[in-house]
């Protein structure tokens, strides 16, 4: 088995995901390394922050520098000097989210224009498997058809059917030694279709299951309700992956519903806008009120930004567009989300998650900063 349950507290779970490049304690937040790098950060810095697994993007790596190039250079782990586990997505989200580049979709695959050179390209389940095999990631994802929640039901139903068809084909395709394969359920916000897709994907018996097609425009209430609904349908002995959430309140919510893994660009993207995630909400360091603020972002945070620098200095760096400021905020924001996730795991082990979440949400609602309830893709 690739997944071991260690503790449960209500619907929430603490476990261990076993991969070819090491074990991942869950719940686990995965920093996003779209192009074989988590923007601005060195792999050693990620390890020091507490990251145990990161995510790479099949679509972008296939085009630049090319999966065959990465294979010749020893695989993705060696290429980016990250020795821990890596999950690669299938490229499906990028193909379907970049709707202006989409040319056609049929049961065999999807045709689109590359965002790099505008040339027509095609993805199939077999190609998604082959690309990820060449990359050598630890966890690979099935190609799926992602549609916005407002699409007509007939289109959503066809996407559910096609997603299952593609998943079965990718399951039959070759993969690298030791690679795990996760299926992805779709269905939009239609409960009947969501149930159908979740049950069909689970029945195929993948090493893990992902909840896809959420956090792309539906309300937060719908997103959390459907996440809980999906978790109730998924196998207890397989890891559950929510694709695309990273705001602190959202992280706590999906953990409480039974999600084991999640990823998002939000911590690093927010840092690059000059904002910090804190227990007082989101702090926009461009704000003039921080111009002479000698306090750290968080007095209890051991990250490089908090242990060495003041809010005033960070504001200066951000406003002068100095890269150091964006790097420091990236380190802090990732440390904040990784620590929050690790603390939630410890609370599950103590059977005290409900109390932990209540106290955490009270602290996150402190009046100093702005709420950070932002839908963000992965």
């Amino acid at each position: 088995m690739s997944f071991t349950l260690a503790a449960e507290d209500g619907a929430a779970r603490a476990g261990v995901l076993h991969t070819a490049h090491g074990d991942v304690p869950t719940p686990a937040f995965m920093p996003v390394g779209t192009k074989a790098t988590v923007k601005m950060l060195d792999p050693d810095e990620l390890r020091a922050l507490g990251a145990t697994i990161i995510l790479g993007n099949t679509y972008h790596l296939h085009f630049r520098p090319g999966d065959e190039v990465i294979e010749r250079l020893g695989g993705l782990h060696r290429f980016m000097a990250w020795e821990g586990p890596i999950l690669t997505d299938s490229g499906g989200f990028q193909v379907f989210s970049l709707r202006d580049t989409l040319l056609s979709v049929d049961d065999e695959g999807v045709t689109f224009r590359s965002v790099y050179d505008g040339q027509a390209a095609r993805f199939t389940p077999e190609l998604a498997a082959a690309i990820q095999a060449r990359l050598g990631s630890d966890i690979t994802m099935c190609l799926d058809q992602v549609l916005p929640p407002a699409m007509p039901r007939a289109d959503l139903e066809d996407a559910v059917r096609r997603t299952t068809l593609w998943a079965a084909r990718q399951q039959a395709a070759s993969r690298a030694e030791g690679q795990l394969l996760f299926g992805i359920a779709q269905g939009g916000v239609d409960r009947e279709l969501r149930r159908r897709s979740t049950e069909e994907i689970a029945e195929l018996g993948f090493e893990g299951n992902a909840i896809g097609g959420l956090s792309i425009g539906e309300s937060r209430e719908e997103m959390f309700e459907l996440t809980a609904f999906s978790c109730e349908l998924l196998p207890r002995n397989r890891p559950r992956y929510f694709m695309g959430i990273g705001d602190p309140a959202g992280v706590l919510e999906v953990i409480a519903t039974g999600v084991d893994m999640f990823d998002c660009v939000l911590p690093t993207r927010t840092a690059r806008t000059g904002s910090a995630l804190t227990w007082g909400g989101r702090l926009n360091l461009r704000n003039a009120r921080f111009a002479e603020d000698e306090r750290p972002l968080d007095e209890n945070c051991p990250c490089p930004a908090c242990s060495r620098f003041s809010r005033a200095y960070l504001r200066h760096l951000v406003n002068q567009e100095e890269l150091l400021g964006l790097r420091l905020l990236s380190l802090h924001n990732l440390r904040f989300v990784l620590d929050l996730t690790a603390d939630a795991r410890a609370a599950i082990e103590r059977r005290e998650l409900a109390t932990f979440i209540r106290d955490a949400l009270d602290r996150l609602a402190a009046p100093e900063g702005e709420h950070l309830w932002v839908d963000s893709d992965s």
Side-chain angles (χ1 to χ4, degrees):
M1 296 293 292
S2 60
F3 182 68
T4 303
L5 267 178
E8 295 177 272
D9 185 6
R13 303 123 60 82
V16 181
L17 175 62
H18 309 288
T19 80
H21 283 83
D23 289 346
V24 178
T26 64
F29 174 75
M30 297 182 285
V32 177
T34 301
K35 301 178 181 179
T37 176
V38 176
K39 291 186 186 299
M40 302 246 179
L41 304 184
D42 181 278
D44 287 343
E45 292 176 314
L46 293 172
R47 294 186 190 94
L49 293 175
T52 57
I53 179 172
I54 61 175
L55 182 146
N57 188 285
T58 292
Y59 178 103
H60 291 288
L61 294 175
H62 172 60
F63 289 110
R64 299 289 189 278
D67 45 285
E68 293 179 347
V69 171
I70 292 175
E71 181 182 36
R72 289 195 294 271
L73 292 172
L76 188 55
H77 294 84
R78 182 177 178 185
F79 184 62
M80 63 184 298
W82 170 262
E83 297 175 357
I86 299 175
L87 180 148
T88 48
D89 61 16
S90 68
F93 180 82
Q94 285 68 39
V95 168
F96 289 102
S97 64
L98 299 169
R99 301 194 67 80
D100 291 343
T101 70
L102 185 62
L103 296 178
S104 66
V105 58
D106 54 57
D107 284 357
E108 287 303 307
V110 57
T111 304
F112 57 96
R113 294 194 183 281
S114 165
V115 295
Y116 290 96
D117 58 14
Q119 295 298 307
R122 187 163 173 81
F123 271 8
T124 65
E126 292 78 12
L127 180 59
I131 294 170
Q132 293 178 87
R134 286 191 281 269
L135 294 175
S137 53
D138 299 272
I139 303 171
T140 65
M141 302 301 299
C142 286
L143 183 67
D144 59 331
Q145 184 176 359
V146 188
L147 291 182
M151 294 294 286
R153 191 178 193 278
D155 292 343
L156 290 172
E157 190 169 13
D158 201 39
V160 164
R161 178 192 62 80
R162 187 170 287 127
T163 292
T164 300
L165 174 69
W166 287 354
R169 284 170 47 193
Q170 190 163 338
Q171 189 178 44
S174 298
R175 40 181 148 148
E177 183 178 357
Q179 277 188 327
L180 308 177
L181 178 62
F182 283 23
I184 307 174
Q186 291 295 329
V189 296
D190 186 302
R191 286 202 171 214
E192 180 185 341
L193 293 179
R194 179 67 58 175
R195 175 186 291 276
R196 182 190 310 175
S197 184
T198 301
E199 290 178 345
E200 288 178 354
I201 295 299
E203 188 175 348
L204 289 171
F206 294 103
E207 285 87 7
N209 297 284
I211 302 167
L214 296 177
S215 191
I216 56 172
E218 76 285 353
S219 70
R220 280 179 71 87
E221 183 180 5
E222 285 178 313
M223 178 177 69
F224 294 138
E225 287 178 355
L226 288 166
T227 301
F229 177 73
S230 299
C231 285
E232 292 174 357
L233 300 172
L234 289 170
R236 179 173 173 271
N237 63 344
R238 295 288 192 276
R240 304 162 182 167
Y241 169 25
F242 184 97
M243 307 180 77
I245 197 162
D247 68 278
V251 164
L252 295 173
E253 186 76 33
V254 297
I255 289 175
T257 64
V259 166
D260 304 299
M261 306 162 59
F262 38 94
D263 72 282
C264 196
V265 297
L266 187 147
T268 47
R269 181 176 289 173
T270 300
R272 296 195 302 276
T273 69
S275 293
L277 307 182
T278 76
W279 284 109
R282 178 173 65 92
L283 303 185
N284 180 0
L285 271 300
R286 298 184 187 278
N287 196 303
R289 67 191 175 99
F290 299 116
E292 297 184 27
D293 193 334
E294 296 181 345
R295 295 174 296 168
L297 292 173
D298 184 340
E299 293 181 355
N300 297 314
C301 178
C303 83
C306 294
S307 60
R308 300 181 62 193
F309 303 107
S310 68
R311 296 179 180 189
Y313 181 63
L314 293 171
R315 177 183 182 273
H316 162 70
L317 294 177
V318 167
N319 283 339
Q320 295 305 309
E321 299 183 353
E322 291 288 345
L323 293 182
L324 177 60
L326 306 186
R327 272 183 33 78
L328 289 170
L329 290 179
S330 295
L331 288 165
H332 170 78
N333 286 354
L334 279 177
R335 182 65 185 259
F336 186 88
V337 176
L338 288 165
D339 281 356
L340 180 69
T341 305
D343 290 346
R345 175 189 167 89
I348 294 170
E349 292 174 328
R350 299 192 306 269
R351 310 297 198 278
E352 296 177 355
L353 183 65
T355 300
F356 172 78
I357 289 178
R358 184 182 65 247
D359 293 345
L361 291 177
D362 285 345
R363 294 176 66 191
L364 289 169
E368 181 179 12
E370 305 170 21
H371 290 301
L372 187 61
W373 288 358
V374 179
D375 292 328
S376 179
D377 65 71
S378 60

